[in-house]
Amino acid sequence: PPAKKIHEILPLSTIHDAARNLLRTIRQHVENVTGLTCSAGLASNFLLAKIASDMNKPNGQYFVGPSETQILDFVNPLPLRKVNGVGRVMEKTLRAAFGIETVKDLYEKRAEVYFSFRKASAAFLMRACIGYAEGMMHHGGETDAEREEALHRKGISHERTFSPTTSWSDMCTRLEGITLGLVRDLRERNLRP
């Protein structure tokens, strides 16, 4: 017989408590090692976890339950700008054209929004209004929304994790590497550094 999944053995509440405790331990370890506090979000997908990580800043955590009701209770009251990928221009457009201020407003006006935007943007907004993050993948690992966004990109960013250092020379070397990588990325996209 196939191995049982953890949720078939333990109650969900036990699993969720263990996940919250693990996250708390990780955050404490980060503070012990670096002296810096951090916030974190725990949710069923990246979009929700990223939003949740902003809820109890600068040194807290937030858990979004996995049920449809828990997800919608979390996302519905959020201002549109809380959704990763909704910038000032999109927010302004949705507010001016449709009177949309919150994720719930977006859900309630989803038909108008769907038929007013390009396919990739509309699909992204439809997923966002129900707290769903994943998109259709293409060769190269990019989603429809990423392809669309790349056409209209106004900035480039990358996240990096660094090990602690007190060496000024090491920091300068790392900064130089990041700068050269940025210049390379800009050139690959035919943008000026």
Side-chain angles (χ1 to χ4, degrees):
K4 288 189 174 189
K5 297 185 181 193
I6 193 166
H7 69 273
E8 296 172 330
I9 300 168
L10 297 171
L12 279 178
S13 61
T14 302
I15 297 167
H16 295 163
D17 287 344
R20 283 190 281 259
N21 288 333
L22 176 60
L23 188 57
R24 194 173 298 108
T25 301
I26 292 168
R27 289 180 36 255
Q28 186 60 54
H29 184 71
V30 168
E31 184 174 3
N32 292 344
V33 170
T34 67
L36 302 172
T37 61
C38 62
S39 60
L42 186 60
S44 56
N45 66 52
F46 177 78
L47 172 77
L48 295 174
K50 185 159 179 60
I51 296 169
S53 71
D54 274 345
M55 301 307 283
N56 287 326
K57 281 193 175 210
N59 186 25
Q61 63 188 51
Y62 194 91
F63 173 75
V64 180
S67 75
E68 180 180 345
T69 302
Q70 291 168 314
I71 290 170
L72 292 178
D73 286 348
F74 175 70
V75 297
N76 278 342
L78 294 172
L80 282 177
R81 282 299 297 276
K82 286 287 187 183
V83 176
N84 189 35
V86 175
R88 285 189 316 268
V89 173
M90 178 69 74
E91 176 190 39
K92 187 176 177 182
T93 301
L94 290 168
R95 181 180 294 130
F98 305 104
I100 295 173
E101 302 279 340
T102 66
V103 173
K104 183 178 182 180
D105 296 339
L106 176 61
Y107 180 80
E108 290 173 349
K109 299 200 175 173
R110 64 192 178 278
E112 296 98 309
V113 170
Y114 185 80
F115 291 108
S116 300
F117 284 87
R118 293 182 182 151
K119 184 178 178 181
S121 296
F124 162 74
L125 291 168
M126 297 304 100
R127 288 189 305 270
C129 75
I130 58 170
Y132 184 71
E134 288 73 34
M136 296 296 293
M137 298 302 287
H138 296 282
H139 295 291
E142 60 187 2
T143 64
D144 285 335
E146 289 167 337
R147 279 183 158 186
E148 178 78 13
E149 186 258 336
L151 295 173
H152 306 286
R153 180 174 291 143
K154 295 180 183 174
I156 296 174
S157 69
H158 293 283
E159 294 182 24
R160 290 172 182 80
T161 303
F162 297 99
S163 56
T165 184
T166 56
S167 164
W168 179 253
S169 174
D170 188 34
M171 285 189 273
C172 289
T173 301
R174 289 181 188 184
L175 183 57
E176 181 181 23
I178 292 168
T179 304
L180 292 173
L182 176 60
V183 169
R184 185 178 55 251
D185 288 349
L186 290 168
R187 286 186 178 144
E188 286 174 4
R189 291 172 175 84
N190 294 320
L191 300 172
R192 290 184 322 172

